[in-house]
Every structure is written in C-alpha cells, then in structure tokens.
Amino acid sequence: LHKGRRPLAPPRSGLVGAMFGHGRCARVCLTAALITGAAHAGPSLSSCGGATDQLRGAAFTVSPDPIARGEPFTITASGDLASALTAGVVTIDIEAKVSVLGEPMVDATVREKVPFEFQPGFTAGPNKFVIGPVTLPGALPARSDVTGKIIIADSHGAQVTCMALDWHSILSSAQVQGQTSEPPTEPAPVSAASSCAKPHDHLQEITVARSAGELRLTASLDEDIVQTKFTADLKVKYGIVHLPVVLELPVAYFPGTKKGHISAKLGPVTNETAQELGRTFSEVTGQVVWSDDKGEELACISLDEPAAPALVV
C-alpha cells in the first residue's frame, strides 16, 4: 500500500520470497492484524453475493461481533462450491484508514485485480475457513477503519463470491511514551527476510520465480493438513518506540489440503490504488512459524535486523 518506500531485501529462499518478497508485505501483514476488532453495531463481514454465485449459501461471520478488546474472536467463511476452483481473479475495492500511536499510517482507496492460479485448488462441495480463536496483542495502540468489498471470480469470469467489509476497530488505547512527533526524513532500514526452516519441516522443495509481474511458487507437502497455526514473535520499531507483537493465529480449511505437489501463481496485478501515507514501521524483526495440528513445523520465516550501512570515506 505504499510508494516511495524501499522494499524488503531480496529473499534468500523460496517460501520467504512468496510471503515477503513484496516490498509492502511487512506493513500489510501488521495492518491486516489491525483491521480486526470491530467496534460498531453492524456486521463486520457479510455476503454481498447473488443467487448465481458459484459459492452457494456463502456466509462470512465474526464471533463475537463486535469484538471485545483483549478477548478472543473467530472469523468464519463457508459455503457450497458448485465446481472446483483452481484459477480466477480477486477484485479488491476498499477504503482503508489505519493510524498507529495517533499518527496516520495508511489512508488509501485500494482498487486491485489479482489473477491467481492454485493447485490442488478448492474442491467442489462444502468449503469452510476458520481463523481463530485469536486474541490480538494490546501493546500496539492503533485504530483502523476499512470498508468496501472483495469479489472472487473464476477463470471464466463467473462470480464465485462477494464479501463486504465494514470494520471500525481500536486495537488498544494505551499510551506509549517516547514516540517521536515527526516521521524520519530518510528511508527506513529494510528488514531482511530469510528462511529459518529445519530439515524435518513438512513443506519442502520450495521454489519461487518472478517474471513480467507474476509470482510463481511451487512446493512439496509431505502430509495432509486441515488445522494449522501461525505463531508470530516480532518486535516492531515505530519511531524510537520498540513494541513486542506476540500472536498465535489458528487457521483451518475444510476439507483440507492433501499431501503432494503444490503450486500457485499470482499476477500480474492491475492496480488503481489512490493513497496518502503517513509514517511507516521503520523496522520489524522476529520469526513467524507455521505448524500443523500436532505442533510440528511446516515452515519458518525470520525477519532479521537490517544490515548496517556501509561507511563511505
């Protein structure tokens, strides 16, 4: 969601490239956490689809809604897919405002079309995603307002589903001392993304390629997965303030993903985003681990401290 900012350093392994190769990913990942925590009377998520949608009986819910600050909540998306989905286009049309420590971080009208391909894809019949229960960290004083809709169409242009967003959230109202009043004038140092994978990880043979605006990922999964968990242990630097962000995010997909070859392609993206940006996170370090329902690691990504600038004499 930003221009004029330096991207993350080139990734050093396949999965890292897929998740952190885009220059705005570190901020987007944290912003995604901020847009949960609805504080209004209407539904935070709802279906805006029609009777001819490929995902029949689509339902998008947050429970509880509104979310109580500091309390666990769960996001659910479900429906009956008329036919298998392996390719299509995601159309994003949202207004997003995010502020941290009382200062604007994002003020954007996001309009993007993202072509995608995914194998083995989503099977015909009942499909269900469950995110949570999760409790957001309260150490990052932030507020977000996100409204609009996200539409998914299949490779033939037929609408699969439409999800409406109406988030108005406050992550924390805590006051943090020691913040700077002005954003830095120089570009922020760039966190380097690298793999912290182990030999026994269940996701192996990961490759990433980029060409002509497309991102391609391939990998080999050595077990069936249904219920997984992302565990993030991060430190966020915002101005001169250092904030810990520790988060456990359970994610389940039914009927699940079978072991074997996995491939995905994203792009090229059609982008008509209009934006005004305030301050950005100057540094994000730590680890994100993806594990299965037995607690065994699927993959691991590390965000390292930026390299010190070279001394020029």
Side-chain angles (χ1 to χ4, degrees), residues 148-182:
K149 60 185 179 181
I150 298 174
I151 298 172
I152 301 175
D154 66 16
S155 58
H156 303 291
Q159 182 165 302
V160 176
T161 193
C162 175
M163 180 178 70
L165 298 91
D166 190 11
W167 299 98
H168 304 280
S169 67
I170 300 174
L171 181 58
S172 172
S173 59
Q175 297 297 313
V176 178
Q177 297 181 353
Q179 65 209 62
T180 57
S181 58
E182 296 294 333

Side-chain angles (χ1 to χ4, degrees), residues 126-279:
N127 279 253
K128 185 177 183 180
F129 279 95
V130 180
I131 302 174
V134 59
T135 302
L136 294 177
L140 190 63
R143 178 184 182 90
S144 65
D145 297 278
V146 181
T147 58
K149 60 185 179 181
I150 298 174
I151 298 172
I152 301 175
D154 66 16
S155 58
H156 303 291
Q159 182 165 302
V160 176
T161 193
C162 175
M163 180 178 70
L165 298 91
D166 190 11
W167 299 98
H168 304 280
S169 67
I170 300 174
L171 181 58
S172 172
S173 59
Q175 297 297 313
V176 178
Q177 297 181 353
Q179 65 209 62
T180 57
S181 58
E182 296 294 333
T185 57
E186 297 296 323
V190 179
S191 297
S194 62
S195 173
C196 46
K198 286 74 172 178
H200 60 268
D201 280 5
H202 291 291
L203 199 63
Q204 296 286 345
E205 301 175 8
I206 303 163
T207 65
V208 167
R210 291 183 180 83
S211 177
E214 292 182 352
L215 171 67
R216 294 176 180 269
L217 164 71
T218 63
S220 178
L221 183 64
D222 69 2
E223 65 172 355
D224 298 345
I225 56 173
V226 176
Q227 295 178 308
T228 66
K229 182 172 66 176
F230 292 89
T231 303
D233 187 356
L234 306 173
K235 291 182 180 179
V236 177
K237 183 179 179 183
Y238 189 79
I240 63 172
V241 179
H242 293 258
L243 300 168
V245 177
V246 179
L247 180 68
E248 288 192 349
L249 184 67
V251 177
Y253 166 60
F254 303 93
T257 301
K258 298 294 185 181
K259 67 179 180 180
H261 180 73
I262 294 175
S263 65
K265 184 183 82 169
L266 294 175
V269 177
T270 302
N271 193 335
E272 299 178 359
T273 296
Q275 57 196 337
E276 294 180 9
L277 296 171
R279 185 181 206 158

